[in-house]
Amino acid sequence: RPQPSVLTRHDFPAGFRFGVATSSYQIEGAAHEDGRGPSIWDTFCREPGRISDGSSGDIACDHYHRWPEDLDLIRSLGVDAYRFSVAWPRIQPTGSGAVNAAGLDFYERLVDGMLERGLSPYATLYHWDLPQALQDAGGWDNRETAHRFAEYARIFAERLGDRVRSYATLNEPWCSSILSYQIGEHAPGLRDRRAALSAAHHLLLGHGEAVLALRSVVQQAEVGIVLNLNPAYPATTSPADAAAARSFDGEFNRWFLEPLLVGEYPRDTWEAYGQDVPDVHPGDLQTIRQPLDFMGVNYYSRGLISASGPARAEQSEFTAMDWEVYPQGLTDLLVRLKTDYLVPPIYITENGAAYHDVLEGDDVHDTARVRYFETHLNAVRAAADQGVDVRGYFAWSLMDNFEWAHGYSKRFGLVYVDYGDQRRILKDSAKWYRSLASSEARDD
Ligand code: PNW
Protein backbone atom coordinates (compact mmCIF):
# COMPACT_ATOMS: atom_id res chain seq x y z
CA ARG A 1 0.00 0.00 0.00
CA PRO A 2 2.66 2.65 0.78
CA GLN A 3 3.51 4.47 -2.42
CA PRO A 4 7.18 5.23 -3.13
CA SER A 5 8.07 8.86 -3.69
CA VAL A 6 7.89 10.26 -7.20
CA LEU A 7 10.23 13.01 -6.05
CA THR A 8 13.90 12.05 -5.95
CA ARG A 9 17.11 13.76 -4.89
CA HIS A 10 17.52 14.82 -8.54
CA ASP A 11 14.58 17.21 -8.10
CA PHE A 12 16.53 19.25 -5.52
CA PRO A 13 19.72 21.31 -5.72
CA ALA A 14 23.11 19.56 -5.61
CA GLY A 15 24.12 18.81 -2.03
CA PHE A 16 20.57 19.36 -0.68
CA ARG A 17 20.26 17.60 2.68
CA PHE A 18 17.33 15.63 3.98
CA GLY A 19 16.85 15.20 7.69
CA VAL A 20 14.46 14.67 10.56
CA ALA A 21 13.95 16.89 13.60
CA THR A 22 13.01 16.56 17.28
CA SER A 23 13.47 18.55 20.48
CA SER A 24 14.76 17.60 23.91
CA TYR A 25 11.69 18.11 26.13
CA GLN A 26 9.39 16.53 23.56
CA ILE A 27 11.23 13.20 23.35
CA GLU A 28 13.86 12.66 26.04
CA GLY A 29 11.92 11.90 29.22
CA ALA A 30 14.29 11.09 32.12
CA ALA A 31 13.31 14.48 33.48
CA HIS A 32 14.86 13.88 36.88
CA GLU A 33 17.87 11.78 35.92
CA ASP A 34 21.62 12.34 35.96
CA GLY A 35 21.45 15.75 37.57
CA ARG A 36 19.07 17.47 35.16
CA GLY A 37 17.60 20.54 36.84
CA PRO A 38 13.92 21.45 36.58
CA SER A 39 12.79 23.41 33.52
CA ILE A 40 9.83 25.74 33.04
CA TRP A 41 8.00 22.95 31.21
CA ASP A 42 8.26 20.62 34.22
CA THR A 43 6.62 23.35 36.27
CA PHE A 44 4.02 24.29 33.64
CA CYS A 45 2.89 20.68 33.11
CA ARG A 46 2.15 20.38 36.83
CA GLU A 47 -0.23 23.35 36.77
CA PRO A 48 -3.82 22.05 36.36
CA GLY A 49 -5.41 22.83 33.01
CA ARG A 50 -2.26 23.77 31.13
CA ILE A 51 -1.84 20.54 29.13
CA SER A 52 -4.99 19.23 27.45
CA ASP A 53 -4.46 15.58 28.42
CA GLY A 54 -2.85 16.37 31.78
CA SER A 55 0.45 14.83 30.69
CA SER A 56 4.08 15.95 30.87
CA GLY A 57 7.44 15.19 29.28
CA ASP A 58 8.57 13.15 32.33
CA ILE A 59 8.84 9.99 30.21
CA ALA A 60 7.89 11.14 26.69
CA CYS A 61 9.54 8.78 24.14
CA ASP A 62 12.17 7.70 26.68
CA HIS A 63 14.74 8.77 24.12
CA TYR A 64 17.25 9.50 26.91
CA HIS A 65 17.57 5.72 27.31
CA ARG A 66 16.61 4.57 23.82
CA TRP A 67 18.83 6.89 21.80
CA PRO A 68 20.95 4.13 20.20
CA GLU A 69 17.90 2.45 18.63
CA ASP A 70 16.46 5.85 17.70
CA LEU A 71 19.67 6.75 15.86
CA ASP A 72 19.53 3.36 14.13
CA LEU A 73 15.99 4.21 13.09
CA ILE A 74 17.06 7.58 11.67
CA ARG A 75 19.90 5.91 9.83
CA SER A 76 17.46 3.36 8.38
CA LEU A 77 15.46 6.20 6.81
CA GLY A 78 18.44 7.03 4.62
CA VAL A 79 18.57 10.69 5.70
CA ASP A 80 21.72 12.77 5.93
CA ALA A 81 21.14 14.82 9.04
CA TYR A 82 19.45 14.90 12.44
CA ARG A 83 18.24 18.12 14.03
CA PHE A 84 18.03 17.70 17.82
CA SER A 85 17.98 20.15 20.71
CA VAL A 86 20.02 20.40 23.87
CA ALA A 87 18.29 20.61 27.25
CA TRP A 88 19.92 23.57 28.99
CA PRO A 89 18.97 22.20 32.48
CA ARG A 90 20.97 19.04 31.76
CA ILE A 91 24.06 21.18 31.09
CA GLN A 92 23.50 23.79 33.82
CA PRO A 93 20.81 22.61 36.25
CA THR A 94 20.19 26.15 37.55
CA GLY A 95 20.98 27.95 34.30
CA SER A 96 24.17 29.54 35.55
CA GLY A 97 27.42 28.50 37.14
CA ALA A 98 27.96 24.83 37.90
CA VAL A 99 28.14 22.52 34.89
CA ASN A 100 26.61 19.04 35.14
CA ALA A 101 29.13 16.66 33.58
CA ALA A 102 26.54 13.90 33.07
CA GLY A 103 24.51 16.22 30.84
CA LEU A 104 27.43 17.00 28.57
CA ASP A 105 28.30 13.29 28.53
CA PHE A 106 24.82 12.43 27.24
CA TYR A 107 25.05 14.80 24.28
CA GLU A 108 28.58 13.64 23.57
CA ARG A 109 27.37 10.03 23.33
CA LEU A 110 24.48 11.15 21.15
CA VAL A 111 26.66 13.18 18.78
CA ASP A 112 29.27 10.43 18.56
CA GLY A 113 26.42 8.02 17.80
CA MET A 114 25.30 10.23 14.91
CA LEU A 115 28.81 10.50 13.50
CA GLU A 116 29.30 6.71 13.71
CA ARG A 117 26.13 6.31 11.65
CA GLY A 118 27.08 8.93 9.08
CA LEU A 119 24.48 11.46 10.27
CA SER A 120 25.37 15.17 10.46
CA PRO A 121 24.37 16.71 13.79
CA TYR A 122 22.33 19.95 13.61
CA ALA A 123 22.13 21.23 17.18
CA THR A 124 19.50 23.66 18.46
CA LEU A 125 20.57 25.19 21.76
CA TYR A 126 17.21 26.45 22.99
CA HIS A 127 13.97 24.68 22.21
CA TRP A 128 12.03 26.15 25.16
CA ASP A 129 13.22 24.17 28.20
CA LEU A 130 14.54 27.11 30.23
CA PRO A 131 16.03 26.21 33.64
CA GLN A 132 13.35 26.99 36.24
CA ALA A 133 15.87 28.88 38.41
CA LEU A 134 16.20 31.48 35.63
CA GLN A 135 12.40 31.80 35.40
CA ASP A 136 12.32 32.41 39.15
CA ALA A 137 14.52 35.43 38.41
CA GLY A 138 12.12 36.68 35.69
CA GLY A 139 12.98 34.39 32.79
CA TRP A 140 13.41 36.08 29.41
CA ASP A 141 11.83 39.26 30.79
CA ASN A 142 15.13 39.63 32.70
CA ARG A 143 18.00 40.89 30.53
CA GLU A 144 20.44 38.71 32.53
CA THR A 145 18.95 35.61 30.88
CA ALA A 146 20.47 36.69 27.55
CA HIS A 147 23.96 36.70 29.08
CA ARG A 148 23.32 33.35 30.78
CA PHE A 149 22.26 31.88 27.43
CA ALA A 150 25.50 32.95 25.73
CA GLU A 151 27.48 31.41 28.57
CA TYR A 152 25.62 28.11 28.19
CA ALA A 153 26.19 28.17 24.41
CA ARG A 154 29.91 28.59 25.04
CA ILE A 155 29.99 25.67 27.49
CA PHE A 156 28.29 23.38 25.00
CA ALA A 157 30.53 24.41 22.10
CA GLU A 158 33.70 24.06 24.16
CA ARG A 159 32.85 20.39 24.70
CA LEU A 160 31.24 19.43 21.36
CA GLY A 161 32.65 22.04 18.96
CA ASP A 162 35.10 19.62 17.42
CA ARG A 163 32.17 17.42 16.32
CA VAL A 164 29.14 19.65 15.86
CA ARG A 165 29.43 22.04 12.93
CA SER A 166 25.89 23.43 12.80
CA TYR A 167 24.30 25.45 15.60
CA ALA A 168 20.90 27.08 15.75
CA THR A 169 20.76 29.38 18.76
CA LEU A 170 16.99 29.63 19.29
CA ASN A 171 13.99 27.72 18.05
CA GLU A 172 11.03 30.01 17.27
CA PRO A 173 11.51 33.05 19.49
CA TRP A 174 7.90 34.07 18.64
CA CYS A 175 6.73 31.00 20.57
CA SER A 176 9.06 31.56 23.54
CA SER A 177 7.93 35.17 23.85
CA ILE A 178 4.46 35.94 22.44
CA LEU A 179 2.91 32.49 22.81
CA SER A 180 4.45 32.06 26.28
CA TYR A 181 4.28 35.53 27.90
CA GLN A 182 1.33 37.16 26.08
CA ILE A 183 -1.02 34.43 24.85
CA GLY A 184 -0.18 32.21 27.83
CA GLU A 185 -0.43 28.90 25.97
CA HIS A 186 3.18 27.86 26.59
CA ALA A 187 5.40 28.02 29.68
CA PRO A 188 5.52 30.17 31.73
CA GLY A 189 1.88 30.89 30.78
CA LEU A 190 1.71 34.65 31.34
CA ARG A 191 -0.66 37.17 29.76
CA ASP A 192 1.32 40.37 29.60
CA ARG A 193 2.26 41.98 26.29
CA ARG A 194 4.93 44.21 27.80
CA ALA A 195 6.64 41.17 29.30
CA ALA A 196 6.31 39.30 25.99
CA LEU A 197 8.03 42.04 23.99
CA SER A 198 10.74 42.36 26.62
CA ALA A 199 11.21 38.56 26.43
CA ALA A 200 11.41 38.72 22.63
CA HIS A 201 14.08 41.41 22.81
CA HIS A 202 16.15 39.49 25.35
CA LEU A 203 15.82 36.31 23.30
CA LEU A 204 17.17 38.15 20.25
CA LEU A 205 19.93 39.71 22.34
CA GLY A 206 20.82 36.28 23.74
CA HIS A 207 20.93 34.99 20.18
CA GLY A 208 23.41 37.71 19.16
CA GLU A 209 25.62 37.15 22.17
CA ALA A 210 25.52 33.38 21.63
CA VAL A 211 26.54 33.77 17.98
CA LEU A 212 29.62 35.71 19.12
CA ALA A 213 30.42 33.09 21.77
CA LEU A 214 30.00 30.18 19.33
CA ARG A 215 32.21 31.80 16.71
CA SER A 216 34.95 32.53 19.24
CA VAL A 217 34.99 28.88 20.33
CA VAL A 218 34.43 27.02 17.04
CA GLN A 219 36.14 28.50 14.00
CA GLN A 220 34.29 26.41 11.41
CA ALA A 221 30.89 26.68 13.10
CA GLU A 222 27.86 27.34 10.93
CA VAL A 223 25.62 29.45 13.12
CA GLY A 224 22.01 30.45 12.54
CA ILE A 225 18.60 30.83 14.14
CA VAL A 226 15.24 29.14 13.56
CA LEU A 227 12.11 31.24 13.06
CA ASN A 228 8.51 30.12 12.66
CA LEU A 229 7.21 32.22 9.81
CA ASN A 230 3.54 32.47 8.86
CA PRO A 231 3.02 34.30 5.58
CA ALA A 232 -0.05 36.51 5.91
CA TYR A 233 -2.74 36.70 3.21
CA PRO A 234 -5.66 39.13 3.33
CA ALA A 235 -8.98 37.26 3.34
CA THR A 236 -10.51 39.61 0.74
CA THR A 237 -9.36 42.44 -1.49
CA SER A 238 -10.68 45.06 0.96
CA PRO A 239 -8.14 47.65 2.20
CA ALA A 240 -9.10 46.82 5.81
CA ASP A 241 -8.14 43.16 5.34
CA ALA A 242 -4.89 44.17 3.63
CA ALA A 243 -4.02 46.37 6.61
CA ALA A 244 -4.85 43.57 9.05
CA ALA A 245 -2.64 41.13 7.12
CA ARG A 246 0.18 43.66 7.16
CA SER A 247 -0.04 44.11 10.92
CA PHE A 248 -0.15 40.32 11.45
CA ASP A 249 2.98 40.06 9.30
CA GLY A 250 4.65 42.75 11.40
CA GLU A 251 3.97 41.01 14.70
CA PHE A 252 4.61 37.47 13.57
CA ASN A 253 7.38 37.72 10.99
CA ARG A 254 9.00 41.14 10.60
CA TRP A 255 9.36 41.71 14.38
CA PHE A 256 11.93 38.90 14.35
CA LEU A 257 13.30 39.02 10.79
CA GLU A 258 14.15 42.72 10.76
CA PRO A 259 16.24 43.06 13.93
CA LEU A 260 18.17 39.98 12.77
CA LEU A 261 18.61 40.87 9.10
CA VAL A 262 18.25 44.67 8.98
CA GLY A 263 19.18 45.77 12.50
CA GLU A 264 15.90 47.56 13.23
CA TYR A 265 12.47 46.77 14.58
CA PRO A 266 9.75 47.41 11.97
CA ARG A 267 8.49 50.96 12.47
CA ASP A 268 4.76 50.30 11.87
CA THR A 269 4.65 47.48 14.41
CA TRP A 270 6.76 49.42 16.92
CA GLU A 271 4.24 52.26 16.78
CA ALA A 272 1.28 49.92 17.06
CA TYR A 273 2.74 48.40 20.25
CA GLY A 274 2.69 51.82 21.97
CA GLN A 275 3.83 51.69 25.61
CA ASP A 276 4.61 47.97 25.49
CA VAL A 277 7.79 48.25 23.38
CA PRO A 278 11.00 46.84 24.89
CA ASP A 279 13.84 48.74 26.52
CA VAL A 280 16.50 48.66 23.78
CA HIS A 281 19.95 49.62 25.02
CA PRO A 282 22.48 51.32 22.74
CA GLY A 283 24.35 48.61 20.83
CA ASP A 284 21.66 45.94 21.24
CA LEU A 285 20.61 45.97 17.60
CA GLN A 286 24.22 45.70 16.43
CA THR A 287 24.62 42.67 18.70
CA ILE A 288 21.40 41.13 17.40
CA ARG A 289 22.28 41.68 13.75
CA GLN A 290 25.15 39.20 13.54
CA PRO A 291 26.05 37.82 10.13
CA LEU A 292 24.41 34.39 9.93
CA ASP A 293 25.50 31.27 8.08
CA PHE A 294 21.93 30.11 7.70
CA MET A 295 18.35 30.99 8.45
CA GLY A 296 16.18 28.11 9.66
CA VAL A 297 12.54 28.34 8.59
CA ASN A 298 9.78 26.36 10.30
CA TYR A 299 6.68 26.35 8.14
CA TYR A 300 3.36 24.71 8.93
CA SER A 301 0.64 26.96 7.52
CA ARG A 302 -0.30 30.46 6.43
CA GLY A 303 -2.29 33.15 8.17
CA LEU A 304 -5.51 34.10 6.37
CA ILE A 305 -6.36 37.43 7.92
CA SER A 306 -9.37 39.71 7.90
CA ALA A 307 -9.97 42.96 9.75
CA SER A 308 -12.09 41.08 12.29
CA GLY A 309 -9.41 38.42 12.94
CA PRO A 310 -8.24 35.11 11.46
CA ALA A 311 -10.42 33.83 8.61
CA ARG A 312 -10.98 30.29 7.39
CA ALA A 313 -10.65 29.09 3.81
CA GLU A 314 -13.66 26.76 3.76
CA GLN A 315 -12.57 24.86 0.67
CA SER A 316 -9.15 23.98 2.14
CA GLU A 317 -7.96 20.89 4.00
CA PHE A 318 -7.01 21.20 7.67
CA THR A 319 -4.76 19.05 9.85
CA ALA A 320 -5.56 17.70 13.32
CA MET A 321 -4.13 20.96 14.71
CA ASP A 322 -6.79 22.71 12.62
CA TRP A 323 -3.99 24.31 10.62
CA GLU A 324 -4.76 24.90 6.93
CA VAL A 325 -2.74 22.86 4.44
CA TYR A 326 -1.31 25.54 2.17
CA PRO A 327 1.91 24.50 0.41
CA GLN A 328 1.95 27.54 -1.88
CA GLY A 329 2.61 29.62 1.25
CA LEU A 330 6.01 27.97 1.63
CA THR A 331 7.08 28.88 -1.91
CA ASP A 332 5.76 32.42 -1.47
CA LEU A 333 7.53 32.79 1.88
CA LEU A 334 10.90 31.59 0.57
CA VAL A 335 10.73 33.80 -2.51
CA ARG A 336 9.75 36.76 -0.36
CA LEU A 337 12.72 36.23 1.99
CA LYS A 338 15.01 36.39 -1.02
CA THR A 339 13.27 39.42 -2.52
CA ASP A 340 12.89 41.53 0.64
CA TYR A 341 16.09 40.74 2.57
CA LEU A 342 19.75 39.89 2.28
CA VAL A 343 18.94 36.48 3.62
CA PRO A 344 21.63 33.83 4.24
CA PRO A 345 21.22 30.28 2.90
CA ILE A 346 17.98 28.75 4.13
CA TYR A 347 17.15 25.43 5.73
CA ILE A 348 13.60 24.26 6.22
CA THR A 349 14.21 23.21 9.82
CA GLU A 350 10.63 22.00 10.43
CA ASN A 351 7.67 21.11 8.28
CA GLY A 352 5.04 18.49 8.95
CA ALA A 353 1.52 17.78 10.09
CA ALA A 354 -0.52 16.11 12.82
CA TYR A 355 -3.25 13.70 11.75
CA HIS A 356 -5.46 11.24 13.57
CA ASP A 357 -3.29 8.20 12.94
CA VAL A 358 -4.69 4.70 13.30
CA LEU A 359 -2.42 1.76 14.08
CA GLU A 360 -3.56 -1.30 12.08
CA GLY A 361 -1.38 -4.21 13.09
CA ASP A 362 2.12 -2.99 12.26
CA ASP A 363 0.94 -0.33 9.83
CA VAL A 364 -0.20 3.26 9.87
CA HIS A 365 -1.64 4.27 6.51
CA ASP A 366 -1.20 8.02 6.90
CA THR A 367 -1.89 8.98 3.30
CA ALA A 368 -2.81 12.57 4.21
CA ARG A 369 0.61 13.07 5.79
CA VAL A 370 2.36 11.57 2.73
CA ARG A 371 0.47 14.09 0.62
CA TYR A 372 1.41 16.91 3.00
CA PHE A 373 5.13 16.10 2.73
CA GLU A 374 4.99 15.63 -1.03
CA THR A 375 3.21 18.93 -1.72
CA HIS A 376 5.44 20.89 0.66
CA LEU A 377 8.63 19.38 -0.73
CA ASN A 378 7.36 20.36 -4.16
CA ALA A 379 6.86 23.87 -2.81
CA VAL A 380 10.50 23.94 -1.64
CA ARG A 381 11.63 22.71 -5.01
CA ALA A 382 9.61 25.44 -6.75
CA ALA A 383 11.37 28.08 -4.61
CA ALA A 384 14.77 26.57 -5.42
CA ASP A 385 13.85 26.70 -9.12
CA GLN A 386 13.15 30.43 -8.63
CA GLY A 387 16.66 30.98 -7.31
CA VAL A 388 16.16 30.72 -3.54
CA ASP A 389 19.27 29.26 -1.89
CA VAL A 390 17.67 26.49 0.14
CA ARG A 391 20.10 23.86 1.38
CA GLY A 392 18.03 21.28 3.22
CA TYR A 393 14.74 20.06 4.65
CA PHE A 394 14.00 18.53 8.06
CA ALA A 395 10.72 16.70 8.54
CA TRP A 396 8.92 17.41 11.82
CA SER A 397 9.09 15.03 13.39
CA LEU A 398 11.11 11.83 13.51
CA MET A 399 8.49 10.32 15.82
CA ASP A 400 5.30 11.13 17.70
CA ASN A 401 6.13 13.08 20.85
CA PHE A 402 4.95 15.47 23.55
CA GLU A 403 3.15 18.17 21.57
CA TRP A 404 3.37 20.90 24.24
CA ALA A 405 -0.06 22.15 25.39
CA HIS A 406 -1.68 19.26 23.47
CA GLY A 407 0.30 16.60 25.32
CA TYR A 408 0.36 13.28 23.47
CA SER A 409 -2.97 13.87 21.71
CA LYS A 410 -1.37 15.24 18.52
CA ARG A 411 0.92 12.97 16.51
CA PHE A 412 3.45 14.61 14.16
CA GLY A 413 5.77 11.63 13.68
CA LEU A 414 7.00 9.85 10.59
CA VAL A 415 7.27 7.04 13.12
CA TYR A 416 4.36 6.01 15.34
CA VAL A 417 5.13 5.66 19.05
CA ASP A 418 3.12 3.23 21.15
CA TYR A 419 3.35 4.95 24.52
CA GLY A 420 2.36 1.72 26.29
CA ASP A 421 5.54 -0.12 25.42
CA GLN A 422 7.57 2.56 23.60
CA ARG A 423 7.50 0.54 20.40
CA ARG A 424 8.39 2.54 17.27
CA ILE A 425 6.41 1.70 14.09
CA LEU A 426 7.16 3.18 10.68
CA LYS A 427 4.13 4.97 9.25
CA ASP A 428 3.62 4.95 5.48
CA SER A 429 5.00 8.53 5.51
CA ALA A 430 8.29 7.25 6.94
CA LYS A 431 8.53 4.67 4.15
CA TRP A 432 7.71 7.37 1.62
CA TYR A 433 10.36 9.72 3.03
CA ARG A 434 12.85 6.84 3.06
CA SER A 435 12.26 6.19 -0.62
CA LEU A 436 13.07 9.85 -1.36
CA ALA A 437 16.09 10.09 0.97
CA SER A 438 17.45 6.77 -0.32
CA SER A 439 17.16 7.77 -3.95
CA GLU A 440 20.39 8.05 -5.88
CA ALA A 441 22.40 11.17 -5.03
CA ARG A 442 23.18 13.75 -7.66
CA ASP A 443 26.80 13.48 -8.69
CA ASP A 444 27.37 17.16 -9.55
C1 PNW B 1 6.67 24.19 16.56
N1 PNW B 1 1.62 28.26 16.95
O1 PNW B 1 5.80 24.72 17.52
C2 PNW B 1 7.81 23.65 17.39
O2 PNW B 1 9.10 24.04 16.99
C3 PNW B 1 7.73 22.18 17.65
O3 PNW B 1 8.36 21.90 18.86
C4 PNW B 1 6.29 21.71 17.59
O4 PNW B 1 6.16 20.37 17.96
C5 PNW B 1 5.80 21.95 16.18
O5 PNW B 1 5.96 23.30 15.77
C6 PNW B 1 4.34 21.56 15.95
O6 PNW B 1 3.50 22.36 16.72
C7 PNW B 1 4.77 25.59 17.30
O7 PNW B 1 0.72 28.26 17.80
C8 PNW B 1 3.76 25.61 18.25
O8 PNW B 1 1.58 29.04 15.95
C9 PNW B 1 2.73 26.48 18.13
C10 PNW B 1 2.69 27.37 17.06
C11 PNW B 1 3.70 27.37 16.11
C12 PNW B 1 4.75 26.46 16.24
Side-chain angles (χ1 to χ4, degrees):
R1 224 186 332 160
Q3 294 292 313
S5 172
V6 176
L7 285 167
T8 71
R9 286 185 183 263
H10 287 266
D11 296 312
F12 294 87
F16 190 89
R17 316 195 92 181
F18 291 94
V20 291
T22 64
S23 87
S24 48
Y25 190 72
Q26 294 181 273
I27 66 164
E28 285 179 0
H32 310 288
E33 273 179 59
D34 290 348
R36 175 185 174 284
S39 85
I40 56 174
W41 275 91
D42 299 300
T43 308
F44 192 66
C45 291
R46 269 158 200 79
E47 296 173 11
R50 296 296 200 178
I51 311 300
S52 67
D53 60 3
S55 66
S56 76
D58 276 358
I59 299 173
C61 305
D62 195 32
H63 172 76
Y64 190 79
H65 299 114
R66 295 169 193 267
W67 63 268
E69 60 170 281
D70 288 339
L71 293 183
D72 288 344
L73 187 61
I74 298 170
R75 177 70 211 126
S76 79
L77 296 177
V79 299
D80 313 299
Y82 176 39
R83 174 174 179 245
F84 66 106
S85 85
V86 180
W88 186 351
R90 290 198 193 279
I91 309 299
Q92 289 177 293
T94 61
S96 53
V99 173
N100 175 38
L104 282 171
D105 292 347
F106 170 69
Y107 292 106
E108 180 168 74
R109 290 195 294 278
L110 187 67
V111 165
D112 286 345
M114 290 177 222
L115 297 175
E116 280 163 21
R117 290 166 180 81
L119 296 166
S120 300
Y122 281 68
T124 298
L125 293 173
Y126 185 71
H127 201 127
W128 311 349
D129 36 5
L130 187 75
Q132 180 62 41
L134 295 182
Q135 191 65 50
D136 296 342
W140 289 106
D141 188 12
N142 180 349
R143 190 176 168 93
E144 261 310 295
T145 302
H147 311 322
R148 298 283 72 79
F149 177 64
E151 177 185 77
Y152 148 66
R154 172 185 294 277
I155 292 165
F156 183 81
E158 279 172 349
R159 176 69 172 272
L160 273 306
D162 58 338
R163 281 157 282 183
V164 178
R165 285 276 168 276
S166 172
Y167 299 85
T169 54
L170 306 175
N171 179 69
E172 304 189 345
W174 180 88
C175 287
S176 2
S177 55
I178 306 298
L179 193 60
S180 305
Y181 286 75
Q182 178 182 330
I183 300 172
E185 192 176 309
H186 281 188
L190 306 184
R191 288 173 171 274
D192 177 345
R193 190 171 75 173
R194 183 217 53 82
L197 296 175
S198 157
H201 184 66
H202 297 142
L203 280 153
L204 291 169
L205 184 65
H207 156 80
E209 293 184 3
V211 172
L212 290 167
L214 291 165
R215 291 206 196 288
S216 76
V217 175
V218 190
Q219 260 62 50
Q220 316 90 314
E222 302 219 330
V223 185
I225 186 169
V226 173
L227 300 182
N228 54 313
L229 298 173
N230 274 33
Y233 296 78
T236 71
T237 55
S238 80
D241 287 358
R246 170 125 187 106
S247 83
F248 176 96
D249 181 58
E251 296 182 14
F252 219 108
N253 304 317
R254 290 182 286 119
W255 193 258
F256 296 91
L257 283 168
E258 298 195 356
L260 291 163
L261 298 178
V262 184
E264 289 165 24
Y265 281 107
R267 187 177 301 274
D268 57 331
T269 313
W270 181 277
E271 281 165 9
Y273 278 144
Q275 296 301 302
D276 290 337
V277 294
D279 179 20
V280 178
H281 293 202
D284 282 3
L285 285 159
Q286 286 88 312
T287 303
I288 290 169
R289 183 201 195 177
Q290 294 300 317
L292 298 176
D293 299 300
F294 68 89
M295 172 67 70
V297 172
N298 292 353
Y299 178 81
Y300 289 93
S301 189
R302 67 164 169 175
L304 185 66
I305 309 299
S306 80
S308 53
R312 194 174 170 92
E314 286 307 336
Q315 70 292 351
S316 289
E317 258 185 75
F318 292 81
T319 70
M321 299 290 281
D322 209 26
W323 294 349
E324 184 187 357
V325 178
Y326 194 73
Q328 181 64 40
L330 180 51
T331 307
D332 294 347
L333 169 65
L334 294 173
V335 171
R336 181 249 184 133
L337 288 176
K338 173 185 152 80
T339 309
D340 287 5
Y341 301 105
L342 283 170
V343 71
I346 293 170
Y347 282 90
I348 307 305
T349 35
E350 289 179 24
N351 175 241
Y355 286 104
H356 299 289
D357 295 318
V358 182
L359 182 60
E360 301 174 55
D362 286 334
D363 287 309
V364 178
H365 299 300
D366 58 338
T367 48
R369 186 177 288 103
V370 170
R371 234 182 8 257
Y372 185 97
F373 280 124
E374 181 170 49
T375 51
H376 285 78
L377 277 157
N378 260 314
V380 173
R381 173 194 187 193
D385 289 346
Q386 291 172 61
V388 178
D389 185 1
V390 50
R391 304 268 173 105
Y393 175 96
F394 291 83
W396 184 270
S397 176
L398 165 65
M399 57 186 162
D400 297 336
N401 58 49
F402 176 75
E403 178 52 31
W404 307 113
H406 302 277
Y408 298 95
S409 70
K410 300 288 183 246
R411 295 178 176 270
F412 272 91
L414 290 165
V415 175
Y416 186 93
V417 176
D418 181 335
Y419 293 109
D421 59 7
Q422 292 291 351
R423 200 158 59 104
R424 277 77 160 128
I425 298 142
L426 267 62
K427 302 178 191 175
D428 285 358
S429 56
K431 298 172 188 173
W432 180 89
Y433 197 52
R434 180 178 65 193
S435 72
L436 166 57
S438 313
S439 66
E440 179 197 43
R442 292 176 56 145
D443 51 17
D444 50 350

